[in-house]
Amino acid sequence: DTRRTVYLLLYLILILFCDLNFTQALVIRPDGNLPFSQKGDSGSLIISENGYVVGLLFGGNGSTISFANSIQNVIHNIGIRF
């Protein structure tokens, strides 16, 4: 079961070791003992309980926290048009 809670929408995440900035990133913390994401999961879609795509996973520490870009930002930044 990979259900977890998206705790908040951060307006700025600074990842100092890479000198990267991410705006409006989703912060995901596990509800239980299992991690939400692990090494190699980057690029996975984050799906809401209602079945909507809400984000695109880009990182985490493999145990207590994961990060995803808002799917609206991904769509806008790569220029997808419907």
PDB file of all heavy atoms in Angstrom, residues 18-49:
ATOM      1  N   CYS A  18      22.645  20.192  -4.161  1.00  0.00           N
ATOM      2  CA  CYS A  18      22.588  20.286  -5.620  1.00  0.00           C
ATOM      3  C   CYS A  18      22.409  21.724  -6.091  1.00  0.00           C
ATOM      4  O   CYS A  18      22.460  21.992  -7.284  1.00  0.00           O
ATOM      5  CB  CYS A  18      21.413  19.469  -6.167  1.00  0.00           C
ATOM      6  SG  CYS A  18      21.570  17.714  -5.908  1.00  0.00           S
ATOM      7  N   ASP A  19      22.175  22.655  -5.154  1.00  0.00           N
ATOM      8  CA  ASP A  19      21.929  24.057  -5.486  1.00  0.00           C
ATOM      9  C   ASP A  19      20.739  24.182  -6.435  1.00  0.00           C
ATOM     10  O   ASP A  19      20.793  24.872  -7.447  1.00  0.00           O
ATOM     11  CB  ASP A  19      23.173  24.709  -6.071  1.00  0.00           C
ATOM     12  CG  ASP A  19      23.066  26.230  -6.073  1.00  0.00           C
ATOM     13  OD1 ASP A  19      22.374  26.778  -5.194  1.00  0.00           O
ATOM     14  OD2 ASP A  19      23.648  26.861  -6.966  1.00  0.00           O
ATOM     15  N   LEU A  20      19.655  23.463  -6.130  1.00  0.00           N
ATOM     16  CA  LEU A  20      18.450  23.495  -6.950  1.00  0.00           C
ATOM     17  C   LEU A  20      17.317  24.136  -6.174  1.00  0.00           C
ATOM     18  O   LEU A  20      17.219  23.980  -4.960  1.00  0.00           O
ATOM     19  CB  LEU A  20      18.027  22.074  -7.339  1.00  0.00           C
ATOM     20  CG  LEU A  20      19.012  21.270  -8.165  1.00  0.00           C
ATOM     21  CD1 LEU A  20      18.506  19.845  -8.320  1.00  0.00           C
ATOM     22  CD2 LEU A  20      19.222  21.902  -9.523  1.00  0.00           C
ATOM     23  N   ASN A  21      16.444  24.833  -6.874  1.00  0.00           N
ATOM     24  CA  ASN A  21      15.244  25.415  -6.270  1.00  0.00           C
ATOM     25  C   ASN A  21      14.016  24.823  -6.940  1.00  0.00           C
ATOM     26  O   ASN A  21      13.955  24.735  -8.155  1.00  0.00           O
ATOM     27  CB  ASN A  21      15.213  26.928  -6.465  1.00  0.00           C
ATOM     28  CG  ASN A  21      16.348  27.625  -5.774  1.00  0.00           C
ATOM     29  OD1 ASN A  21      16.814  27.169  -4.749  1.00  0.00           O
ATOM     30  ND2 ASN A  21      16.790  28.730  -6.327  1.00  0.00           N
ATOM     31  N   PHE A  22      13.038  24.442  -6.148  1.00  0.00           N
ATOM     32  CA  PHE A  22      11.775  23.942  -6.669  1.00  0.00           C
ATOM     33  C   PHE A  22      10.667  24.764  -6.037  1.00  0.00           C
ATOM     34  O   PHE A  22      10.610  24.909  -4.827  1.00  0.00           O
ATOM     35  CB  PHE A  22      11.575  22.460  -6.327  1.00  0.00           C
ATOM     36  CG  PHE A  22      12.589  21.580  -6.963  1.00  0.00           C
ATOM     37  CD1 PHE A  22      13.738  21.239  -6.289  1.00  0.00           C
ATOM     38  CD2 PHE A  22      12.395  21.102  -8.245  1.00  0.00           C
ATOM     39  CE1 PHE A  22      14.682  20.426  -6.877  1.00  0.00           C
ATOM     40  CE2 PHE A  22      13.330  20.284  -8.836  1.00  0.00           C
ATOM     41  CZ  PHE A  22      14.481  19.943  -8.159  1.00  0.00           C
ATOM     42  N   THR A  23       9.770  25.318  -6.850  1.00  0.00           N
ATOM     43  CA  THR A  23       8.661  26.083  -6.302  1.00  0.00           C
ATOM     44  C   THR A  23       7.388  25.266  -6.386  1.00  0.00           C
ATOM     45  O   THR A  23       7.223  24.444  -7.270  1.00  0.00           O
ATOM     46  CB  THR A  23       8.475  27.407  -7.064  1.00  0.00           C
ATOM     47  OG1 THR A  23       8.247  27.123  -8.442  1.00  0.00           O
ATOM     48  CG2 THR A  23       9.693  28.296  -6.913  1.00  0.00           C
ATOM     49  N   GLN A  24       6.507  25.490  -5.445  1.00  0.00           N
ATOM     50  CA  GLN A  24       5.215  24.804  -5.371  1.00  0.00           C
ATOM     51  C   GLN A  24       5.366  23.286  -5.434  1.00  0.00           C
ATOM     52  O   GLN A  24       4.638  22.605  -6.148  1.00  0.00           O
ATOM     53  CB  GLN A  24       4.274  25.305  -6.458  1.00  0.00           C
ATOM     54  CG  GLN A  24       3.954  26.768  -6.311  1.00  0.00           C
ATOM     55  CD  GLN A  24       3.021  27.271  -7.379  1.00  0.00           C
ATOM     56  OE1 GLN A  24       2.951  26.692  -8.457  1.00  0.00           O
ATOM     57  NE2 GLN A  24       2.305  28.319  -7.091  1.00  0.00           N
ATOM     58  N   ALA A  25       6.293  22.767  -4.672  1.00  0.00           N
ATOM     59  CA  ALA A  25       6.521  21.321  -4.643  1.00  0.00           C
ATOM     60  C   ALA A  25       5.617  20.667  -3.604  1.00  0.00           C
ATOM     61  O   ALA A  25       5.297  21.259  -2.574  1.00  0.00           O
ATOM     62  CB  ALA A  25       7.977  21.019  -4.320  1.00  0.00           C
ATOM     63  N   LEU A  26       5.176  19.457  -3.888  1.00  0.00           N
ATOM     64  CA  LEU A  26       4.406  18.675  -2.929  1.00  0.00           C
ATOM     65  C   LEU A  26       5.370  17.954  -2.003  1.00  0.00           C
ATOM     66  O   LEU A  26       6.348  17.360  -2.454  1.00  0.00           O
ATOM     67  CB  LEU A  26       3.545  17.646  -3.666  1.00  0.00           C
ATOM     68  CG  LEU A  26       2.551  18.207  -4.667  1.00  0.00           C
ATOM     69  CD1 LEU A  26       1.922  17.061  -5.461  1.00  0.00           C
ATOM     70  CD2 LEU A  26       1.496  19.029  -3.983  1.00  0.00           C
ATOM     71  N   VAL A  27       5.097  18.005  -0.721  1.00  0.00           N
ATOM     72  CA  VAL A  27       5.887  17.303   0.283  1.00  0.00           C
ATOM     73  C   VAL A  27       5.042  16.139   0.779  1.00  0.00           C
ATOM     74  O   VAL A  27       3.925  16.337   1.243  1.00  0.00           O
ATOM     75  CB  VAL A  27       6.262  18.225   1.454  1.00  0.00           C
ATOM     76  CG1 VAL A  27       7.005  17.455   2.526  1.00  0.00           C
ATOM     77  CG2 VAL A  27       7.085  19.406   0.959  1.00  0.00           C
ATOM     78  N   ILE A  28       5.557  14.930   0.659  1.00  0.00           N
ATOM     79  CA  ILE A  28       4.791  13.725   0.993  1.00  0.00           C
ATOM     80  C   ILE A  28       5.518  12.980   2.105  1.00  0.00           C
ATOM     81  O   ILE A  28       6.700  12.663   1.986  1.00  0.00           O
ATOM     82  CB  ILE A  28       4.640  12.815  -0.248  1.00  0.00           C
ATOM     83  CG1 ILE A  28       4.036  13.616  -1.399  1.00  0.00           C
ATOM     84  CG2 ILE A  28       3.814  11.583   0.094  1.00  0.00           C
ATOM     85  CD1 ILE A  28       4.170  12.958  -2.744  1.00  0.00           C
ATOM     86  N   ARG A  29       4.785  12.707   3.178  1.00  0.00           N
ATOM     87  CA  ARG A  29       5.333  11.939   4.298  1.00  0.00           C
ATOM     88  C   ARG A  29       4.530  10.647   4.447  1.00  0.00           C
ATOM     89  O   ARG A  29       3.320  10.654   4.274  1.00  0.00           O
ATOM     90  CB  ARG A  29       5.260  12.744   5.587  1.00  0.00           C
ATOM     91  CG  ARG A  29       6.139  13.980   5.570  1.00  0.00           C
ATOM     92  CD  ARG A  29       6.181  14.604   6.944  1.00  0.00           C
ATOM     93  NE  ARG A  29       6.924  15.837   6.928  1.00  0.00           N
ATOM     94  CZ  ARG A  29       8.242  15.925   7.117  1.00  0.00           C
ATOM     95  NH1 ARG A  29       8.938  14.829   7.322  1.00  0.00           N
ATOM     96  NH2 ARG A  29       8.854  17.077   7.093  1.00  0.00           N
ATOM     97  N   PRO A  30       5.188   9.546   4.787  1.00  0.00           N
ATOM     98  CA  PRO A  30       4.469   8.279   4.948  1.00  0.00           C
ATOM     99  C   PRO A  30       3.476   8.337   6.108  1.00  0.00           C
ATOM    100  O   PRO A  30       3.713   9.012   7.096  1.00  0.00           O
ATOM    101  CB  PRO A  30       5.566   7.264   5.243  1.00  0.00           C
ATOM    102  CG  PRO A  30       6.856   7.970   5.190  1.00  0.00           C
ATOM    103  CD  PRO A  30       6.606   9.417   5.036  1.00  0.00           C
ATOM    104  N   ASP A  31       2.360   7.620   5.964  1.00  0.00           N
ATOM    105  CA  ASP A  31       1.377   7.499   7.042  1.00  0.00           C
ATOM    106  C   ASP A  31       1.795   6.441   8.059  1.00  0.00           C
ATOM    107  O   ASP A  31       1.379   6.486   9.199  1.00  0.00           O
ATOM    108  CB  ASP A  31       0.004   7.111   6.488  1.00  0.00           C
ATOM    109  CG  ASP A  31      -0.686   8.266   5.804  1.00  0.00           C
ATOM    110  OD1 ASP A  31      -0.319   9.422   6.071  1.00  0.00           O
ATOM    111  OD2 ASP A  31      -1.592   8.015   5.000  1.00  0.00           O
ATOM    112  N   GLY A  32       2.590   5.492   7.627  1.00  0.00           N
ATOM    113  CA  GLY A  32       3.005   4.403   8.510  1.00  0.00           C
ATOM    114  C   GLY A  32       4.506   4.220   8.476  1.00  0.00           C
ATOM    115  O   GLY A  32       5.267   5.166   8.356  1.00  0.00           O
ATOM    116  N   ASN A  33       4.926   2.964   8.547  1.00  0.00           N
ATOM    117  CA  ASN A  33       6.350   2.636   8.612  1.00  0.00           C
ATOM    118  C   ASN A  33       7.015   2.494   7.245  1.00  0.00           C
ATOM    119  O   ASN A  33       8.232   2.480   7.158  1.00  0.00           O
ATOM    120  CB  ASN A  33       6.547   1.340   9.392  1.00  0.00           C
ATOM    121  CG  ASN A  33       6.141   1.496  10.836  1.00  0.00           C
ATOM    122  OD1 ASN A  33       6.267   2.575  11.406  1.00  0.00           O
ATOM    123  ND2 ASN A  33       5.640   0.429  11.435  1.00  0.00           N
ATOM    124  N   LEU A  34       6.226   2.345   6.184  1.00  0.00           N
ATOM    125  CA  LEU A  34       6.800   2.144   4.858  1.00  0.00           C
ATOM    126  C   LEU A  34       7.062   3.476   4.169  1.00  0.00           C
ATOM    127  O   LEU A  34       6.253   4.394   4.269  1.00  0.00           O
ATOM    128  CB  LEU A  34       5.862   1.306   3.993  1.00  0.00           C
ATOM    129  CG  LEU A  34       5.589  -0.114   4.471  1.00  0.00           C
ATOM    130  CD1 LEU A  34       4.556  -0.778   3.567  1.00  0.00           C
ATOM    131  CD2 LEU A  34       6.872  -0.914   4.497  1.00  0.00           C
ATOM    132  N   PRO A  35       8.186   3.597   3.448  1.00  0.00           N
ATOM    133  CA  PRO A  35       8.453   4.844   2.718  1.00  0.00           C
ATOM    134  C   PRO A  35       7.472   5.012   1.559  1.00  0.00           C
ATOM    135  O   PRO A  35       6.962   4.022   1.021  1.00  0.00           O
ATOM    136  CB  PRO A  35       9.877   4.667   2.208  1.00  0.00           C
ATOM    137  CG  PRO A  35      10.087   3.201   2.151  1.00  0.00           C
ATOM    138  CD  PRO A  35       9.243   2.610   3.247  1.00  0.00           C
ATOM    139  N   PHE A  36       7.188   6.259   1.176  1.00  0.00           N
ATOM    140  CA  PHE A  36       6.344   6.511   0.019  1.00  0.00           C
ATOM    141  C   PHE A  36       7.097   6.216  -1.264  1.00  0.00           C
ATOM    142  O   PHE A  36       6.554   5.689  -2.217  1.00  0.00           O
ATOM    143  CB  PHE A  36       5.858   7.963   0.016  1.00  0.00           C
ATOM    144  CG  PHE A  36       4.996   8.282  -1.165  1.00  0.00           C
ATOM    145  CD1 PHE A  36       3.677   7.867  -1.193  1.00  0.00           C
ATOM    146  CD2 PHE A  36       5.508   8.963  -2.247  1.00  0.00           C
ATOM    147  CE1 PHE A  36       2.878   8.135  -2.286  1.00  0.00           C
ATOM    148  CE2 PHE A  36       4.714   9.242  -3.343  1.00  0.00           C
ATOM    149  CZ  PHE A  36       3.399   8.825  -3.371  1.00  0.00           C
ATOM    150  N   SER A  37       8.384   6.576  -1.285  1.00  0.00           N
ATOM    151  CA  SER A  37       9.193   6.354  -2.493  1.00  0.00           C
ATOM    152  C   SER A  37      10.569   5.839  -2.109  1.00  0.00           C
ATOM    153  O   SER A  37      11.003   5.990  -0.976  1.00  0.00           O
ATOM    154  CB  SER A  37       9.325   7.653  -3.296  1.00  0.00           C
ATOM    155  OG  SER A  37      10.055   8.622  -2.562  1.00  0.00           O
ATOM    156  N   GLN A  38      11.217   5.239  -3.100  1.00  0.00           N
ATOM    157  CA  GLN A  38      12.566   4.717  -2.904  1.00  0.00           C
ATOM    158  C   GLN A  38      13.432   5.108  -4.092  1.00  0.00           C
ATOM    159  O   GLN A  38      12.931   5.615  -5.102  1.00  0.00           O
ATOM    160  CB  GLN A  38      12.522   3.197  -2.751  1.00  0.00           C
ATOM    161  CG  GLN A  38      11.759   2.743  -1.533  1.00  0.00           C
ATOM    162  CD  GLN A  38      11.703   1.233  -1.413  1.00  0.00           C
ATOM    163  OE1 GLN A  38      11.843   0.499  -2.393  1.00  0.00           O
ATOM    164  NE2 GLN A  38      11.491   0.748  -0.203  1.00  0.00           N
ATOM    165  N   LYS A  39      14.705   4.832  -3.973  1.00  0.00           N
ATOM    166  CA  LYS A  39      15.647   5.121  -5.045  1.00  0.00           C
ATOM    167  C   LYS A  39      15.134   4.518  -6.353  1.00  0.00           C
ATOM    168  O   LYS A  39      14.686   3.374  -6.393  1.00  0.00           O
ATOM    169  CB  LYS A  39      17.012   4.534  -4.692  1.00  0.00           C
ATOM    170  CG  LYS A  39      18.088   4.863  -5.682  1.00  0.00           C
ATOM    171  CD  LYS A  39      19.420   4.302  -5.238  1.00  0.00           C
ATOM    172  CE  LYS A  39      20.478   4.632  -6.266  1.00  0.00           C
ATOM    173  NZ  LYS A  39      21.784   4.138  -5.853  1.00  0.00           N
ATOM    174  N   GLY A  40      15.166   5.322  -7.424  1.00  0.00           N
ATOM    175  CA  GLY A  40      14.718   4.853  -8.732  1.00  0.00           C
ATOM    176  C   GLY A  40      13.270   5.174  -9.054  1.00  0.00           C
ATOM    177  O   GLY A  40      12.817   4.932 -10.163  1.00  0.00           O
ATOM    178  N   ASP A  41      12.527   5.730  -8.090  1.00  0.00           N
ATOM    179  CA  ASP A  41      11.115   6.044  -8.310  1.00  0.00           C
ATOM    180  C   ASP A  41      10.883   7.401  -8.972  1.00  0.00           C
ATOM    181  O   ASP A  41       9.742   7.720  -9.337  1.00  0.00           O
ATOM    182  CB  ASP A  41      10.339   6.008  -6.994  1.00  0.00           C
ATOM    183  CG  ASP A  41      10.121   4.608  -6.470  1.00  0.00           C
ATOM    184  OD1 ASP A  41      10.319   3.646  -7.244  1.00  0.00           O
ATOM    185  OD2 ASP A  41       9.745   4.463  -5.290  1.00  0.00           O
ATOM    186  N   SER A  42      11.917   8.204  -9.124  1.00  0.00           N
ATOM    187  CA  SER A  42      11.750   9.525  -9.748  1.00  0.00           C
ATOM    188  C   SER A  42      11.079   9.390 -11.106  1.00  0.00           C
ATOM    189  O   SER A  42      11.361   8.466 -11.866  1.00  0.00           O
ATOM    190  CB  SER A  42      13.106  10.214  -9.917  1.00  0.00           C
ATOM    191  OG  SER A  42      13.659  10.503  -8.672  1.00  0.00           O
ATOM    192  N   GLY A  43      10.157  10.315 -11.378  1.00  0.00           N
ATOM    193  CA  GLY A  43       9.406  10.270 -12.626  1.00  0.00           C
ATOM    194  C   GLY A  43       8.070   9.565 -12.499  1.00  0.00           C
ATOM    195  O   GLY A  43       7.270   9.587 -13.428  1.00  0.00           O
ATOM    196  N   SER A  44       7.811   8.970 -11.341  1.00  0.00           N
ATOM    197  CA  SER A  44       6.528   8.300 -11.117  1.00  0.00           C
ATOM    198  C   SER A  44       5.428   9.331 -10.936  1.00  0.00           C
ATOM    199  O   SER A  44       5.635  10.390 -10.347  1.00  0.00           O
ATOM    200  CB  SER A  44       6.584   7.427  -9.857  1.00  0.00           C
ATOM    201  OG  SER A  44       7.525   6.405 -10.009  1.00  0.00           O
ATOM    202  N   LEU A  45       4.236   9.002 -11.436  1.00  0.00           N
ATOM    203  CA  LEU A  45       3.085   9.875 -11.242  1.00  0.00           C
ATOM    204  C   LEU A  45       2.539   9.698  -9.832  1.00  0.00           C
ATOM    205  O   LEU A  45       2.497   8.589  -9.307  1.00  0.00           O
ATOM    206  CB  LEU A  45       1.978   9.544 -12.245  1.00  0.00           C
ATOM    207  CG  LEU A  45       2.290   9.831 -13.709  1.00  0.00           C
ATOM    208  CD1 LEU A  45       1.154   9.334 -14.594  1.00  0.00           C
ATOM    209  CD2 LEU A  45       2.550  11.312 -13.933  1.00  0.00           C
ATOM    210  N   ILE A  46       2.097  10.783  -9.224  1.00  0.00           N
ATOM    211  CA  ILE A  46       1.434  10.743  -7.927  1.00  0.00           C
ATOM    212  C   ILE A  46      -0.061  10.864  -8.205  1.00  0.00           C
ATOM    213  O   ILE A  46      -0.511  11.813  -8.839  1.00  0.00           O
ATOM    214  CB  ILE A  46       1.892  11.907  -7.018  1.00  0.00           C
ATOM    215  CG1 ILE A  46       3.423  11.948  -6.912  1.00  0.00           C
ATOM    216  CG2 ILE A  46       1.220  11.816  -5.654  1.00  0.00           C
ATOM    217  CD1 ILE A  46       4.051  10.723  -6.317  1.00  0.00           C
ATOM    218  N   ILE A  47      -0.820   9.875  -7.743  1.00  0.00           N
ATOM    219  CA  ILE A  47      -2.254   9.789  -8.005  1.00  0.00           C
ATOM    220  C   ILE A  47      -3.017  10.037  -6.702  1.00  0.00           C
ATOM    221  O   ILE A  47      -2.693   9.452  -5.669  1.00  0.00           O
ATOM    222  CB  ILE A  47      -2.629   8.385  -8.544  1.00  0.00           C
ATOM    223  CG1 ILE A  47      -1.718   7.961  -9.690  1.00  0.00           C
ATOM    224  CG2 ILE A  47      -4.101   8.320  -8.925  1.00  0.00           C
ATOM    225  CD1 ILE A  47      -1.846   8.772 -10.942  1.00  0.00           C
ATOM    226  N   SER A  48      -4.062  10.892  -6.765  1.00  0.00           N
ATOM    227  CA  SER A  48      -4.886  11.155  -5.581  1.00  0.00           C
ATOM    228  C   SER A  48      -5.798   9.963  -5.306  1.00  0.00           C
ATOM    229  O   SER A  48      -5.956   9.071  -6.142  1.00  0.00           O
ATOM    230  CB  SER A  48      -5.732  12.414  -5.793  1.00  0.00           C
ATOM    231  OG  SER A  48      -6.781  12.148  -6.710  1.00  0.00           O
ATOM    232  N   GLU A  49      -6.428   9.965  -4.140  1.00  0.00           N
ATOM    233  CA  GLU A  49      -7.369   8.897  -3.799  1.00  0.00           C
ATOM    234  C   GLU A  49      -8.539   8.861  -4.766  1.00  0.00           C
ATOM    235  O   GLU A  49      -9.176   7.825  -4.930  1.00  0.00           O
ATOM    236  CB  GLU A  49      -7.877   9.076  -2.371  1.00  0.00           C
ATOM    237  CG  GLU A  49      -6.837   8.765  -1.332  1.00  0.00           C
ATOM    238  CD  GLU A  49      -7.383   8.863   0.079  1.00  0.00           C
ATOM    239  OE1 GLU A  49      -8.605   9.044   0.257  1.00  0.00           O
ATOM    240  OE2 GLU A  49      -6.578   8.756   1.016  1.00  0.00           O
TER     241      GLU A  49
END
